[in-house]
Amino acid sequence: MLEMTPVAADVIRRLVEGESPSAGLRLDFADGDLRVTRADGPEEGDEVVTGRFGERVFVAPGSADYLDDKVLDARTDRDGTPVFGVSRR
């Protein structure tokens, strides 16, 4: 199952702060690109990963196998925009 670093968890919490309790980020890995979007909740078939403090990540069904042994991390670019990436555990 996908894991997330404490930094990624913190960024996710900040991104969905003030939204519904079911909100989180949706990950979809397709064509070699990781797409990260804010979501109000999981779509049908999504794998739901919940962090220590309730942060939620929804993994698209076609991406679950690829992301299964990965760790989600985050950083901010020069403009303060969050940038997410995955690496092997």
Side-chain angles (χ1 to χ4, degrees):
M1 179 176 282
L2 177 74
E3 294 179 11
M4 65 183 96
T5 67
V7 172
D10 183 56
V11 170
I12 293 166
R13 278 193 307 277
R14 285 187 279 134
L15 286 173
V16 298
E17 188 173 46
E19 297 195 25
S20 76
S22 62
L25 294 187
R26 187 162 196 273
L27 304 183
D28 190 2
F29 189 81
D31 301 324
D33 291 323
L34 178 66
R35 289 185 294 216
V36 181
T37 54
R38 205 176 315 193
D40 292 330
E43 293 183 11
E44 186 173 334
D46 282 355
E47 180 179 301
V48 179
V49 179
T50 304
R52 283 179 48 180
F53 300 103
E55 54 281 340
R56 294 166 41 108
V57 173
F58 315 122
V59 180
S63 303
D65 285 343
Y66 174 76
L67 295 173
D68 187 51
D69 64 344
K70 305 292 188 294
V71 176
L72 178 67
D73 198 8
R75 63 176 178 79
T76 53
D77 67 11
R78 291 181 185 182
D79 298 328
T81 303
V83 177
F84 291 91
V86 293
S87 61
R88 287 196 182 276
R89 282 187 228 156

